[in-house]
């Protein structure tokens, strides 16, 4: 069954490449819709440039900083909100407000508040924090009530409850949230970089390609973003 699924997956890739090839052939314009072979050739050229790795490194650093900070904040506030309903209801309007802010206006406001290198991290944190927070809260709420009552009856400290009861119980919820958030983090970092234009970053290169109508480079950098997003997804699934 697995071998058959792999074959279907490869078939899907082949169909996608063929569709792209015929559409580019029909349009016949490198500016509007470049040929996929031209994009791959440009991708190789970009990868061979030393400056590319500085841009990639900075974007990845922003992704990891955002992810770690959001994860830690979600664990802290999520556990407190899950255990204490008063805290959950106090935070509810704030979390809902953060969740409903459109990303583009948020980036524009953040550009006024912060320097260009900080904007992508700030924006992405506000995008993925509610996802992780909700996962932790739901995990805490769904902990077996009998286990909670037992720990209370034996006067188990809150610290021990959190470490031995709550954290193991919320692990599946966290893994799901991490899987969902990594791709969103990468996308939001790139979107913020495109508008904030930090000195280095893949998003800045995407903007430059757009500015100079270098569609081939634009698609090549998009392909790089897709590849790394896929790598993140594979790593997370293997770890889970």
């Amino acid at each position: 069954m697995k071998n058959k699924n792999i074959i279907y997956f490869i078939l899907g890739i082949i169909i996608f490449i063929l569709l792209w090839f015929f559409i580019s052939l029909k349009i016949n314009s490198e500016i509007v819709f470049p040929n996929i072979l031209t994009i791959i050739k440009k991708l190789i050229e970009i990868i061979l440039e030393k400056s590319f790795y500085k841009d990639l490194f900075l974007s990845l650093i922003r992704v990891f900083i955002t992810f770690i900070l959001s994860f830690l904040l979600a664990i802290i506030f999520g556990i407190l909100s899950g255990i204490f309903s008063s805290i959950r209801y106090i935070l509810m309007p704030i979390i809902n407000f953060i969740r409903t802010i459109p990303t583009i206006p948020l980036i524009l406001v953040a550009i006024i508040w912060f320097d260009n290198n900080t904007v992508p991290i700030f924006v992405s944190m506000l995008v993925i924090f509610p996802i992780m927070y909700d996962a932790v809260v739901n995990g805490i709420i769904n902990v077996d009530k009998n286990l909670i009552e037992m720990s209370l009856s034996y006067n188990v400290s809150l610290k021990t409850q959190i470490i031995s009861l709550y954290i193991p119980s919320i692990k599946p919820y966290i893994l799901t949230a991490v899987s969902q958030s990594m791709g969103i983090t990468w996308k939001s970092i790139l979107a913020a970089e495109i508008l904030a234009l930090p000195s280095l970053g893949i998003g800045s290169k995407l903007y430059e390609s757009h500015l100079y109508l270098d569609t081939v480079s634009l698609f090549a950098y998009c392909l790089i973003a897709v590849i790394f997003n896929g790598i993140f997804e594979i790593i997370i699934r293997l770890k889970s």
Side-chain angles (χ1 to χ4, degrees):
M1 183 62 72
K2 287 185 178 180
N3 291 335
K4 188 179 286 187
N5 290 337
I6 292 171
I7 291 170
Y8 288 144
F9 179 76
I10 294 171
L11 181 62
I13 294 174
I14 294 170
I15 292 171
F16 176 78
I17 292 172
L18 288 174
L19 282 172
W20 191 293
F21 177 78
F22 285 118
I23 291 171
S24 64
L25 200 65
K26 181 70 175 176
I27 294 174
N28 194 28
S29 173
E30 289 293 303
I31 294 178
V32 177
F33 202 89
N35 187 289
I36 196 163
L37 295 176
T38 309
I39 295 170
I40 292 171
K41 183 181 177 182
K42 174 57 74 172
L43 173 65
I44 294 169
E45 290 177 9
I46 291 171
I47 290 173
L48 292 175
E49 294 174 1
K50 290 183 179 179
S51 60
F52 162 72
Y53 294 96
K54 293 180 181 179
D55 293 305
L56 178 62
F57 178 75
L58 262 296
S59 290
L60 290 176
I61 286 294
R62 292 183 186 113
V63 168
F64 289 124
I65 290 173
T66 300
F67 199 77
I68 291 167
L69 290 176
S70 300
F71 180 80
L72 292 176
L73 289 173
I75 289 290
I76 294 168
F77 288 105
I79 289 176
L80 291 174
S81 297
I83 296 173
F84 305 106
S85 60
S86 57
I87 295 178
R88 183 163 70 251
Y89 283 102
I90 288 171
L91 291 177
M92 191 177 291
I94 301 171
I95 300 297
N96 287 336
F97 176 74
I98 294 172
R99 188 187 289 111
T100 54
I101 301 174
T103 305
I104 300 301
L106 177 61
I107 295 171
L108 296 175
V109 171
I111 290 171
I112 299 172
W113 291 347
F114 305 104
D115 67 84
N116 294 357
N117 292 305
T118 307
V119 170
I121 296 172
F122 173 76
V123 170
S124 297
M125 279 184 62
L126 293 185
V127 170
I128 69 168
F129 170 73
I131 298 172
M132 292 189 175
Y133 171 84
D134 287 342
V136 175
V137 172
N138 290 330
I140 296 292
I141 292 173
N142 289 297
V143 171
D144 191 334
K145 298 297 186 293
N146 293 324
L147 292 176
I148 296 174
E149 291 176 4
M150 188 182 297
S151 64
L152 292 173
S153 63
Y154 283 99
N155 295 321
V156 178
S157 67
L158 180 60
K159 180 182 177 182
T160 305
Q161 287 181 49
I162 291 172
I163 295 172
S164 303
L165 175 60
Y166 289 111
I167 290 180
S169 298
I170 64 176
K171 185 179 177 181
Y173 295 88
I174 292 174
L175 290 175
T176 301
V178 166
S179 179
Q180 292 174 346
S181 301
M182 182 54 80
I184 297 172
T185 305
W186 182 240
K187 291 173 187 175
S188 58
I189 286 287
L190 291 181
E193 285 181 346
I194 289 169
L195 289 180
L197 294 177
S199 54
L200 293 170
I202 298 296
S204 298
K205 292 300 180 184
L206 283 165
Y207 178 80
E208 287 178 16
S209 301
H210 161 78
L211 187 65
Y212 296 110
L213 292 178
D214 186 0
T215 313
V216 177
S217 294
L218 182 63
F219 275 98
Y221 278 111
C222 286
L223 184 56
I224 290 167
V226 170
I227 290 169
F228 274 91
N229 188 49
I231 291 170
F232 291 147
E233 289 287 340
I234 291 168
I235 291 172
I236 290 167
R237 289 181 183 182
L238 289 175
K239 292 293 183 181
S240 60

